[in-house]
Amino acid sequence: MAKLIIAIDGPSGAGKSTLSKALSTQLGYANIDTGAMYRAVALLATRNQISLDDALALSQLCRNMQLEFQRNGDNEKVLVNGEDISAAIRMPEVSMLTSQVAACPAVREELLRMQQQLGRVGGVVLEGRDIGTVVFPQAEIKFFLSASAEERGRRRYEELRAKGMNVDLAQTIEEVRARDAADSSREHAPLCRAEDAIDIDSTVLNIDQVLAFMLGVVNERLAEK
Ligand code: DC
């Protein structure tokens, strides 16, 4: 059976993480959360008091970082230098810093190399912002998953609340908008849809509906191979 490269791009909160996890599990593929890689760099930079303007120090940090994705059934972990950072990288303050880190060309260059290395043999779902346009423009399947900013903010709010965090709905929606603006307007690899991407608007679709649609596309593509 052919081992495809599947790209899932789109703005934050559209359901990319949940869907790439579910899709990769169904297919027995690896799942690469590229946002987690940018988040890991932001977390380590703050911990090591590296200025986000210091491109040289940031690219060195990327090169020295031992990043690992671990999956145990439904549970996925991100480890850096052996430490489980899955929860730490989801904190709202890390999210804001990550937008800045992701705008740094030296960081993008290093992570691009790592992502291409991780995905090159296929049998992989990669989720991010520039997978179908920059990381794997030759990916066999590209999905562009979106949803309205209000809906994405609401989902993020519920997610954070479920984790016991004290957050405000209006502020969470505002943060989603601010990150969208930063991710779409930056000079290097801004969020944009690949011309040959398949659009999915998840505003009124639930996870199972989107997953069923994605699996349909994958099976069609596999049958053509
Ligand atoms: O998907 P996420 O929310 O975990 O992404 C975190 C940040 O990283 C977000 O600001 C967008 C950025 N990012 C990126 O620029 N390119 C990627 N391939 C993935 C994420």
Side-chain angles (χ1 to χ4, degrees), residues 34-35 38-39 90 98-99 102 108 128-130 179 183 186:
T34 63
Y38 286 95
R39 286 171 180 272
R90 303 283 155 206
T98 307
S99 270
R108 298 207 74 87
R129 303 293 192 287
D130 60 343
R179 272 208 294 151
D183 292 342
R186 67 166 176 247

Side-chain angles (χ1 to χ4, degrees), residues 9-13 16-17 33-39 89-90 95-100 102-103 108 115 127-131 135 156 179 182-183 186 188-189 191:
D9 288 304
S12 57
K16 295 190 304 294
S17 296
D33 173 357
T34 63
M37 299 170 79
Y38 286 95
R39 286 171 180 272
I89 58 171
R90 303 283 155 206
S95 302
M96 291 315 285
L97 289 173
T98 307
S99 270
Q100 263 175 277
R108 298 207 74 87
Q115 289 156 12
E127 59 131 322
R129 303 293 192 287
D130 60 343
I131 309 301
V135 185
R156 183 76 63 179
R179 272 208 294 151
D183 292 342
R186 67 166 176 247
H188 300 278
L191 167 66

